[in-house]
């Protein structure tokens, strides 16, 4: 079966980077003048030359998002089930070489965490684990999903890459979406960040969305870890990946997230700094390129940025997030994957969304309509 790897191998990182940084103001204006845009236009809109056009980009981004998604923001919360991990990754608090207490939630502990999320109003949960195939594997996932499936209308997962057959099991069990991040598409330096474990296999991770799409999962979420490598070049390859997937698995929905590297136990400092203006430009570029793409912003970002980005182009936000297993009730002091920046409660975030003239949506469909 042909996968994204076939497409990826036709592109050179350095050549794409050079093209981005040689983009002119005229190239940006030509991209902005179009009603329907392609990947070359996306490349122009993420270039340094587009920084002077941020105001018209943001205005059109607002109009396109409101036309396609209305004045709504979907709310979700991560539920970290485990911080056990067999990988050594230089940017992650869960990395195997960090000498920290490991914890995987039991059935009873999951119940307590779910009760806390439900009391806060959530009906969309994102299950997150480290990558420990011997303990948090398909059997653990299926058991957890069976336990909580009647508590949430939407269950998403962000776990280690799995086989097509395993994704088919998750789809049958009721998983709505799967998030998987390549972290960086710079293949030559990927090994530097992932020194041990299954995650060090660049190609296996690269082909994961193909397996998810083949399994028929309703939505696939992609993204890169902003701060590892040049964000513009990485984002072009992420868009290339999305473009390929949308054409091949056209019945699937897609989302993109923007995790900027945050402080965590034993992690490296960002190699590339991305400021708020850069991230705003990137969000606008994605929307101007793809009207149907769902765009998510997490509590990694600070309060001011999250409040101000609401009217521009995002469609979903996490709130009140804990990035450690048991963080809501069971074990608040367990090791977190990274430090969050926006520590406001779900109720506070919902109030801010409403004050901006938008509606916080706790679910976007109901199981009774399946």
């Amino acid at each position: 079966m042909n996968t994204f790897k076939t497409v990826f191998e036709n592109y050179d990182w350095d050549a794409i980077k050079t093209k981005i940084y040689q983009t002119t103001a005229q190239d940006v204006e030509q991209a902005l003048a179009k009603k329907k845009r392609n990947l070359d236009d996306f490349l122009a809109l993420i270039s340094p030359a587009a920084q002077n056009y941020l105001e018209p980009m943001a205005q059109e981004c607002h109009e396109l998002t409101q036309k396609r998604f209305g004045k709504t923001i979907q709310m979700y919360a991560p539920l970290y089930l485990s911080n056990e991990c067999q990988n050594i990754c230089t940017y992650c608090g869960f990395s195997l070489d960090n000498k920290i207490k490991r914890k995987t939630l039991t059935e009873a502990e999951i119940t307590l965490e779910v009760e806390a999320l439900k009391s806060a109003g959530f009906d969309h949960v994102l299950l997150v684990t480290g990558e420990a195939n011997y303990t948090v594997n398909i059997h653990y996932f299926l058991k957890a999903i069976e336990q909580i499936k009647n508590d949430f209308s939407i269950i998403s997962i962000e776990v280690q890459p799995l086989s097509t057959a395993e994704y088919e099991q998750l789809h049958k069990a009721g998983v709505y979406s799967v998030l998987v991040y390549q972290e960086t598409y710079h293949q030559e330096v990927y090994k530097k960040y992932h020194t041990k474990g299954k995650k060090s296999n660049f190609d296996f991770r690269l082909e994961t969305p193909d397996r998810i799409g083949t399994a028929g999962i309703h939505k696939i979420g992609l993204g890169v870890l902003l701060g590892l490598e040049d964000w513009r070049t990485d984002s072009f390859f992420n868009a290339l990946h999305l473009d390929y997937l949308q054409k091949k698995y056209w019945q699937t929905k897609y989302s993109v997230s923007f995790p900027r590297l945050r402080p965590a136990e034993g992690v490296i400092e960002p190699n590339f700094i991305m400021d708020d203006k850069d991230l705003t430009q990137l969000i606008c570029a994605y929307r101007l390129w793809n009207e149907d793409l769902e765009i998510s912003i997490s509590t990694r970002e600070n309060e001011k940025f999250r409040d101000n980005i609401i009217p521009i182009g995002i469609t979903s936000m996490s709130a009140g997030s804990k990035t450690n297993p048991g963080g809501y009730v069971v074990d608040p002091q367990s090791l977190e994957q990274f430090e969050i920046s926006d520590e406001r409660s779900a109720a506070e975030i919902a109030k801010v969304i409403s004050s901006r003239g938008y509606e916080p949506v706790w679910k976007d469909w109901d199981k009774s309509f399946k």
Side-chain angles (χ1 to χ4, degrees):
M1 179 185 79
N2 287 333
T3 67
F4 175 65
K5 183 182 177 183
T6 305
V7 175
F8 178 77
E9 289 175 340
N10 292 323
Y11 289 79
D12 177 76
W13 176 279
D14 291 333
I16 292 297
K17 183 176 181 179
T18 297
K19 187 175 181 181
I20 291 171
Y21 285 87
Q22 289 181 347
T23 296
T24 66
Q26 183 179 7
D27 296 326
V28 177
E29 291 171 3
Q30 289 176 347
L32 288 173
K34 294 182 178 180
K35 293 296 182 183
K36 187 174 179 61
R37 301 179 177 99
N38 57 29
L39 279 171
D40 285 336
D41 300 316
F42 178 81
L43 184 149
L45 295 174
I46 61 173
S47 71
Q51 291 180 324
N52 293 329
Y53 298 84
L54 192 54
E55 185 61 36
M57 287 174 64
Q59 180 61 40
E60 186 180 353
C61 184
H62 165 76
E63 294 169 358
L64 289 174
T65 304
Q66 190 165 313
K67 181 184 76 172
R68 172 62 179 81
F69 295 95
K71 301 187 74 172
T72 61
I73 303 292
Q74 293 182 34
M75 304 283 287
Y76 73 95
L79 173 52
Y80 278 70
L81 299 176
S82 176
N83 63 10
E84 294 189 60
C85 193
Q86 296 163 344
N87 297 317
I88 295 180
C89 303
T90 60
Y91 52 80
C92 183
F94 291 175
S95 183
L96 179 65
D97 57 345
N98 286 334
K99 305 304 179 184
I100 49 90
K101 177 185 175 183
R102 303 291 172 169
K103 183 175 184 62
T104 296
L105 298 187
T106 65
E107 184 175 336
E109 290 171 333
I110 291 173
T111 295
L112 292 173
E113 294 290 286
V114 166
E115 288 174 352
L117 291 177
K118 294 299 292 182
S119 67
F122 288 105
D123 204 29
H124 179 181
V125 67
L126 170 64
L127 303 180
V128 187
T129 70
E131 300 191 9
N133 296 299
Y134 296 113
T135 51
V136 282
N137 49 33
I138 185 64
H139 306 293
Y140 180 86
F141 304 145
L142 292 173
K143 185 177 180 181
I145 292 163
E146 177 65 25
Q147 179 183 344
I148 71 172
K149 68 180 183 182
N150 292 325
D151 294 304
F152 299 99
S153 292
I154 301 176
I155 298 175
S156 303
I157 65 168
E158 183 181 339
V159 299
Q160 70 265 31
L162 302 170
S163 67
T164 301
E166 288 170 328
Y167 284 125
E168 288 172 346
Q169 288 179 274
L170 291 174
H171 180 45
K172 185 177 180 180
V175 167
Y176 174 80
S177 64
V178 177
L179 281 60
V180 59
Y181 304 145
Q182 188 64 26
E183 313 300 8
T184 178
Y185 287 86
H186 196 326
Q187 187 171 7
E188 291 181 11
V189 300
Y190 182 89
K191 184 70 175 180
K192 181 179 72 173
Y193 297 115
H194 309 94
T195 60
K196 182 177 180 179
K198 199 170 184 178
K199 195 170 182 177
S200 63
N201 187 331
F202 180 89
D203 288 347
F204 183 77
R205 196 168 189 90
L206 188 72
E207 295 175 324
T208 300
D210 276 286
R211 298 192 297 276
I212 301 170
T214 301
I217 296 289
H218 189 73
K219 185 169 76 176
I220 302 173
L222 297 189
V224 294
L225 185 53
L226 300 165
L228 293 185
E229 293 299 320
D230 178 77
W231 69 263
R232 292 183 168 91
T233 311
D234 249 336
S235 296
F236 172 84
F237 280 97
N238 193 65
L240 178 70
H241 204 165
L242 284 164
D243 185 65
Y244 158 85
L245 292 168
Q246 285 186 306
K247 290 173 180 176
K248 185 167 184 177
Y249 309 103
W250 56 271
Q251 292 177 304
T252 302
K253 294 171 67 176
Y254 295 90
S255 67
V256 64
S257 301
F258 306 94
R260 282 195 278 188
L261 192 59
R262 292 282 302 154
E265 181 73 22
V267 305
I268 60 170
E269 290 296 315
N271 288 332
F272 295 83
I273 301 300
M274 182 189 208
D275 62 27
D276 289 354
K277 185 177 180 181
D278 293 334
L279 184 51
T280 302
Q281 178 185 353
L282 181 58
I283 290 171
C284 290
Y286 268 111
R287 174 60 67 228
L288 298 184
W289 167 62
N290 192 324
E291 291 185 31
D292 294 324
L293 190 64
E294 296 184 18
I295 296 178
S296 179
I297 205 78
S298 77
T299 53
R300 284 177 182 259
E301 301 305 327
N302 64 59
E303 296 181 15
K304 183 179 179 181
F305 182 84
R306 277 166 48 95
D307 291 354
N308 291 333
I309 206 69
I310 288 171
I312 295 182
I314 64 163
T315 60
S316 67
M317 299 178 75
S318 58
S321 302
K322 303 297 181 183
T323 65
N324 49 325
Y328 295 104
V329 177
V330 173
D331 190 2
Q333 301 306 314
S334 67
L335 180 83
E336 58 190 5
Q337 188 180 31
F338 56 86
E339 292 181 12
I340 64 170
S341 183
D342 188 347
E343 297 184 349
R344 292 173 294 178
S345 68
E348 290 175 302
I349 298 297
K351 186 176 180 180
V352 170
I353 291 171
S354 297
S355 73
R356 296 294 194 275
Y358 282 68
E359 178 186 358
V361 177
W362 301 94
K363 61 179 178 180
D364 66 350
W365 62 286
D366 194 280
K367 288 180 286 188
S368 62
F369 296 110
K370 287 175 66 176

